C-alpha cells in the first residue's frame, strides 16, 4: 500500500511543510490577508462577505466595469466569436477585434502603434526585458509598481534606483552613467528611465516634465506606466503624457485596461518598431493565450465611452475634490495625493487594520495598507472614489470616517 496524500494515517513527512510554517509566520506578524469575497457586480454599492457596503476599494474609476455599453459589447462578441480565443496571438489567437482595439488605442494615445497584453502586469514583464538588455541601463523610481520591478529582474540590464520623485538624483545617476559607462567602462547602448505616472499607494503624480528634460539631456528614453493615470489624467483620460502635453517625448507608455477602463488587459503605446519587435520577442505575448473576444470588445467599447461620455471623467474629479476637502476639513492627513487615490494616514499597522475593520462595521469598504508596503508610522486607509459614487454615498463615507476617526483618536473631538 502506498501512502496517498489524503491518507490521515500517512507517516510520510510532508515535503511542503514549510508552507504552513510560512503562513504561521505571516499570521504572527499580522500580515496575513484573507480574501474578501464580493457577491455583486463592481460598483459604489457592493455586497462583501455577505454585507452591503459602500466601496472605496476598487480601481473602477469611471464606473465602466458594470457599464451597459461594455456589457452589451461583451455579450455581442461572445455571440459572434465565442468564449475563448483558442491560441496565443502569434499562432492563431489574433482576431480582428484585437487589432481593432490596438488601432483605436493608437489613435487615442496619438502614437504610431499599440500592442495589447493579457494584463498591465504581463505588459511590464514582457516589455522591459525586450527593450533593455546587457548593454543598456534601466533607471527606476524607488516606488515603482511590482510589475516594473519584476520586468527589471527578468531583464539582463543593470539597474539604478533613484529616490521617489527625486529628479536631481535621477540627473546625477544619468550624468555619471554617461560619463563612466557600464561596469567594464563601455558606454551604455541606451538608458531607459522608467516611472509610474501615478503612484498607487500615495496617489501622487510623477514629475514627468522634469524627468523628460533630464532624460533628453542625457539621451535617455522615458517609459511611463500609466496604470492609474489611464482614464483618469489627460483629455478623455489619455494619461499623464497628454496631461503634461509631452506627446512625442515619452518613448514608451504602458497603460492598463483593467482599472478605469473597467475590463482587463495592458497595452504598450509607442513606435511601430517597438510593436513589431515585441511581437517577435515579448514572452507573455508569445507564450500565453490572447484575450477572449469579449474582453477585447468591451475594452474597445470602453474607449468609445470615454470619448463620448466626458461627463464621467468630470464627475470623477468633482467627487475627488469634494471627498478630499471633506476629509481634510475633519482633520485627517491625506498625504500628497493629487488624484482620486486618497490615502488617509492613521498611524501604525495595528491602528490601520482596526480602522478598516471599524469602517467595514459602519458599512464602508476601504482597505488598510500597512508596513512593509508603506513606512511603519504611515499605515493608512486607501480610498478611491469613482464617477459612479453619488454625493449621498460619499456623505455616508465621510460620516463613517468622522465617527471612527474620533473614536480612535486619529482626529480630535
Ligand atoms: C495595477 C498596476 C499594474 C498592473 O495592471 P493590471 O492590468 O492590473 O495587471 C501595473 N502597473 C501599475 C503602476 C499598476 O498600478
Amino acid at each position: 500500500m502506498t501512502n496517498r496524500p489524503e491518507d490521515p494515517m500517512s507517516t510520510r513527512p510532508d515535503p511542503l511543510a514549510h508552507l504552513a510554517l510560512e503562513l504561521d509566520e505571516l499570521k504572527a506578524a499580522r500580515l496575513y490577508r484573507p480574501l474578501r469575497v464580493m457577491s455583486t457586480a463592481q460598483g459604489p454599492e457592493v455586497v462583501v462577505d455577505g454585507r452591503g457596503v459602500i466601496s472605496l476599494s476598487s480601481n473602477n474609476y469611471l464606473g465602466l466595469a458594470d457599464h451597459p455599453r461594455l456589457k452589451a459589447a461583451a455579450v455581442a462578441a461572445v455571440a459572434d466569436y465565442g468564449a475563448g480565443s483558442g491560441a496565443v496571438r502569434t499562432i492563431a489567437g489574433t482576431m480582428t477585434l484585437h487589432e481593432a482595439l490596438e488601432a483605436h488605442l493608437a489613435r487615442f494615445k496619438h502614437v504610431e502603434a499599440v500592442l495589447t497584453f493579457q494584463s498591465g502586469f504581463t505588459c511590464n514583464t514582457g516589455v522591459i526585458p525586450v527593450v533593455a538588455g546587457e548593454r543598456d541601463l534601466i533607471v527606476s523610481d524607488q516606488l515603482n509598481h511590482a510589475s516594473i520591478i519584476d520586468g527589471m529582474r527578468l531583464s539582463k540590464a543593470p539597474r539604478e534606483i533613484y529616490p521617489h520623485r527625486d529628479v536631481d538624483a535621477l540627473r546625477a545617476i544619468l550624468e555619471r552613467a554617461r560619463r563612466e559607462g557600464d561596469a567594464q567602462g563601455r558606454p551604455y547602448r541606451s538608458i531607459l528611465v522608467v516611472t509610474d505616472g501615478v503612484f498607487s499607494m500615495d496617489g501622487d503624480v510623477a514629475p514627468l516634465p522634469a524627468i523628460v528634460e533630464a532624460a533628453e539631456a542625457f539621451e535617455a528614453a522615458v517609459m511611463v506606466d500609466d496604470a492609474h493615470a489611464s482614464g483618469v489624467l489627460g483629455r478623455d483620460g489619455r494619461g499623464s503624457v497628454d496631461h503634461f502635453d509631452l506627446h512625442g517625448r515619452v518613448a514608451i507608455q504602458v497603460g492598463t485596461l483593467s482599472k478605469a477602463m473597467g475590463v482587463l488587459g495592458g497595452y504598450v503605446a509607442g513606435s511601430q518598431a517597438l510593436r513589431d519587435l515585441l511581437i517577435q520577442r515579448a514572452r507573455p505575448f508569445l507564450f500565453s493565450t490572447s484575450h477572449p473576444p469579449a474582453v477585447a470588445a468591451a475594452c474597445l467599447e470602453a474607449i468609445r465611452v470615454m470619448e463620448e461620455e466626458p461627463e464621467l471623467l468630470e464627475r470623477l474629479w468633482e467627487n475627488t475634490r469634494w471627498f478630499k476637502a471633506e476629509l481634510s476639513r475633519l482633520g485627517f492627513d491625506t498625504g500628497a495625493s493629487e488624484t482620486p487615490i486618497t490615502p488617509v494616514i492613521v498611524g501604525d499597522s495595528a491602528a490601520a487594520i482596526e480602522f478598516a475593520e471599524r469602517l467595514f462595521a459602519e458599512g464602508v469598504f476601504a482597505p488598510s495598507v500597512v508596513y512593509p508596503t508603506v513606512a511603519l508610522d504611515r499605515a493608512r486607509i486607501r480610498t478611491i472614489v469613482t464617477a459612479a459614487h453619488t454625493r449621498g454615498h460619499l456623505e455616508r463615507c465621510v460620516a463613517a470616517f468622522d465617527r471612527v476617526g474620533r473614536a480612535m483618536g486619529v482626529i480630535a473631538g
Side-chain angles (χ1 to χ4, degrees):
M1 272 284 288
T2 55
N3 284 328
R4 286 170 297 123
E6 64 272 27
D7 179 357
M9 300 306 284
S10 169
T11 52
R12 190 182 285 171
D14 178 1
L16 295 179
H18 59 285
L19 303 187
L21 291 177
E22 195 169 331
L23 279 171
D24 289 344
E25 279 168 26
L26 283 173
K27 285 173 183 164
R30 301 206 58 185
L31 292 173
Y32 179 81
R33 314 316 292 279
L35 292 175
R36 298 279 205 182
V37 181
M38 229 167 70
S39 47
T40 50
Q42 195 62 264
E45 292 182 43
V46 293
V47 175
V48 175
D49 293 344
R51 192 186 163 85
V53 288
I54 301 172
S55 173
L56 295 173
S57 287
S58 85
N59 302 311
N60 182 27
Y61 290 103
L62 298 173
L64 296 185
D66 194 37
H67 193 289
R69 283 179 59 181
L70 273 71
K71 291 199 284 189
V75 169
V78 169
D80 292 344
Y81 300 98
S85 75
V88 301
R89 285 286 299 271
T90 47
I91 298 196
T94 296
M95 294 176 159
T96 47
L97 277 173
H98 297 113
E99 298 237 298
L101 171 61
E102 291 170 340
H104 200 129
L105 273 171
R107 284 197 297 280
F108 184 68
K109 298 287 283 186
H110 301 303
V111 295
E112 264 178 36
V114 161
L115 192 68
T116 54
F117 284 75
Q118 296 86 352
S119 72
F121 198 103
T122 56
C123 187
N124 279 328
T125 58
V127 168
I128 294 173
V130 173
V131 171
E134 271 169 309
R135 294 162 57 201
D136 310 301
L137 174 69
I138 307 173
V139 189
S140 170
D141 186 288
Q142 172 196 11
L143 294 189
N144 276 344
H145 190 259
S147 55
I148 294 177
I149 295 170
D150 285 9
M152 292 194 293
R153 286 179 178 151
L154 291 168
S155 161
K156 295 198 174 71
R159 69 197 77 122
E160 302 253 14
I161 310 298
Y162 61 94
H164 183 48
R165 298 175 80 241
D166 186 340
V167 180
D168 289 337
L170 168 62
R171 264 184 179 277
I173 290 170
L174 293 174
E175 191 276 323
R176 188 167 42 76
R178 281 303 185 205
R179 181 161 38 82
E180 295 179 0
D182 67 13
Q184 281 80 45
R186 294 170 307 194
Y188 287 111
R189 180 179 68 173
S190 78
I191 301 179
L192 181 70
V193 178
V194 54
T195 181
D196 283 15
V198 170
F199 291 87
S200 57
M201 289 304 144
D202 287 290
D204 51 342
V205 177
L208 208 53
I211 289 173
V212 165
E213 269 178 36
E216 286 173 350
F218 297 98
E219 290 174 40
V222 175
M223 168 169 170
V224 60
D225 177 354
D226 259 349
H228 280 284
S230 308
V232 174
L233 290 181
R235 285 168 304 142
D236 299 334
R238 283 177 168 75
S240 58
V241 170
D242 187 78
H243 172 75
F244 286 116
D245 200 13
L246 293 167
H247 290 288
R249 298 171 71 187
V250 174
I252 303 176
Q253 300 178 58
V254 165
T256 181
L257 304 162
S258 327
K259 288 174 176 153
M261 316 270 291
V263 194
L264 174 70
Y267 63 90
V268 57
S271 68
Q272 189 65 48
L274 175 69
R275 180 178 193 269
D276 291 348
L277 186 63
L278 289 169
I279 291 172
Q280 306 306 310
R281 292 261 194 270
R283 293 170 68 83
F285 188 87
L286 288 161
F287 299 112
S288 184
T289 298
S290 60
H291 278 153
V295 169
C299 290
L300 190 51
E301 194 63 14
I303 315 168
R304 297 196 181 112
V305 171
M306 286 158 63
E307 290 173 322
E308 291 163 21
E309 299 183 21
E311 58 274 16
L312 293 176
L313 189 57
E314 283 158 28
R315 210 173 312 135
L316 169 66
W317 281 97
E318 231 172 74
N319 281 345
T320 297
R321 281 188 288 271
W322 187 86
F323 191 63
K324 279 188 202 300
E326 286 297 298
L327 290 173
S328 301
R329 186 180 61 78
L330 293 175
F332 284 106
D333 174 358
T334 57
S337 171
E338 303 166 69
T339 65
I341 300 172
T342 302
V344 180
I345 318 289
V346 300
D348 67 14
S349 298
I353 290 165
E354 183 185 340
F355 203 110
E357 281 165 4
R358 289 194 184 204
L359 279 178
F360 195 75
E362 297 262 355
V364 174
F365 176 38
S368 57
V369 181
V370 304
Y371 180 81
T373 307
V374 295
L376 261 178
D377 59 342
R378 301 284 288 169
R380 64 197 56 189
I381 306 298
R382 178 172 173 271
T383 69
I384 296 182
V385 300
T386 72
H389 287 93
T390 62
R391 184 57 52 86
H393 289 135
L394 297 182
E395 278 167 357
R396 277 151 65 195
C397 292
V398 167
F401 268 94
D402 187 26
R403 280 192 296 274
V404 175
R406 279 186 288 117
M408 288 184 62
V410 175
I411 50 173

